[in-house]
Amino acid sequence: MRRADRLFLIIHALRGRRTALPARNLAETLGVSLRTIYRDVADLQLSGVPIEGEAGVGYVLRKGADIPPLMFTADELESLVVGTRFVRAFAGEKLATGAQAALLKIEAVLPPELRERAARTRIYAPMWRNERTIEFAARIDRLHGAISGNRVLRLDYRDEAGRASAREVEPLCLAFWGGKWTLGAWCRLREGFRNFRPDRIDTLDETGEVFATVAGRDLDAYLQAVRGDYGGLE
């Protein structure tokens, strides 16, 4: 976690409390040492954040020091909460952690009635964590990283009929189709756009090559092909 995010979450944890929050609770929540919490709180106090209290006693945010609320409607906020739950349930760990951190920041500046409404939403995306789902989430993170870095991938892949092939691809995007992920890519073997199911990839390696964005085989061209009902699902 970045230090800036940690400082924000400390303020969030103190916001609206009537009793002092022990530093040990903050340390356990954020996964850092007590010394780190003491140092962070001292820095926040020096920067003008009205935190009262001391080490060994606990901390509170001075009354009247609330952050102005964001202008979200109840429906907009519920959409954000539900979206975060889906990302946590179905995306990789990196995206899931980012979504949760973003939601904490949003909730930190909401008025109490909207924050309570967010907590009461009855749309869920249950998280089932076992060895297989953890491994798959890690694969989504790897694919996401390769897309962000324009890194060429080498795949050992099985198509729908179980036929195996070796591919080198230029990964362009990930798409979630309500139960299945696909990787949109330029396939060097087929010399065209293809969609690959991550769950059908037997092995996944980076070649060490970084590919350049080329008109006609970039993300824009891929999306145009998809909109034109291009049928390249393998």
Side-chain angles (χ1 to χ4, degrees):
M1 181 185 297
R2 296 182 307 168
R3 185 169 184 269
D5 292 334
R6 191 173 67 243
L7 295 178
F8 188 95
L9 292 176
I10 288 174
I11 297 173
H12 165 64
L14 298 177
R15 183 179 182 272
R17 289 187 62 89
R18 297 180 180 178
T19 59
L21 179 62
R24 185 174 300 279
N25 290 21
L26 282 170
E28 291 174 355
T29 299
L30 299 176
V32 296
S33 66
L34 274 173
R35 174 179 289 186
T36 297
I37 294 298
Y38 295 152
R39 184 174 62 246
D40 286 349
V41 170
D43 288 345
L44 286 169
Q45 290 171 326
L46 287 174
S47 68
V49 178
I51 297 176
E52 298 178 342
E54 59 185 36
V57 177
Y59 301 103
V60 293
L61 196 61
R62 188 183 307 147
K63 188 176 181 180
D66 261 355
I67 306 169
L70 291 177
M71 299 304 292
F72 283 116
T73 67
D75 288 341
E76 289 169 344
L77 180 60
E78 187 170 21
S79 296
L80 290 172
V81 173
V82 172
T84 299
R85 289 178 177 176
F86 272 80
V87 171
R88 290 182 61 202
F90 301 114
E93 292 295 334
K94 183 177 180 180
L95 285 175
T97 301
Q100 184 64 19
L103 185 60
L104 285 174
K105 291 179 181 180
I106 292 169
E107 289 178 340
V109 293
L110 290 172
E113 63 273 13
L114 281 183
R115 196 160 63 246
E116 292 172 7
R117 168 69 182 268
R120 292 198 305 267
T121 183
R122 298 190 180 187
I123 301 177
Y124 299 97
M127 294 177 62
W128 302 105
R129 285 292 181 256
N130 54 36
E131 184 176 348
R132 180 176 174 275
T133 57
I134 291 172
E135 181 181 344
F136 187 77
R139 171 162 292 180
I140 295 297
D141 280 339
R142 289 188 65 192
L143 293 173
H144 182 209
I147 291 167
S148 299
N150 280 23
R151 298 194 290 270
V152 177
L153 297 175
R154 182 180 295 113
L155 315 177
D156 287 327
Y157 189 75
R158 292 174 291 103
D159 65 15
E160 188 174 7
R163 294 182 296 263
S165 61
R167 310 290 186 99
E168 278 196 4
V169 303
E170 299 172 9
L172 300 172
C173 65
L174 283 163
F176 184 68
W177 301 86
K180 296 294 182 183
W181 284 93
T182 58
L183 170 71
W186 177 267
C187 177
R188 292 180 171 180
L189 178 66
R190 304 301 189 207
E191 296 186 344
F193 295 119
R194 292 294 186 272
N195 294 311
F196 298 94
R197 288 256 301 266
D199 57 323
R200 293 179 186 162
I201 297 174
D202 290 329
T203 60
L204 167 64
D205 297 295
E206 294 186 10
T207 66
E209 178 186 352
V210 175
F211 65 90
T213 300
V214 178
R217 55 193 280 183
D218 59 2
L219 178 60
D220 288 341
Y222 167 82
L223 293 176
Q224 288 178 5
V226 170
R227 293 188 189 105
D229 292 328
Y230 178 83
L233 182 62
E234 299 217 358

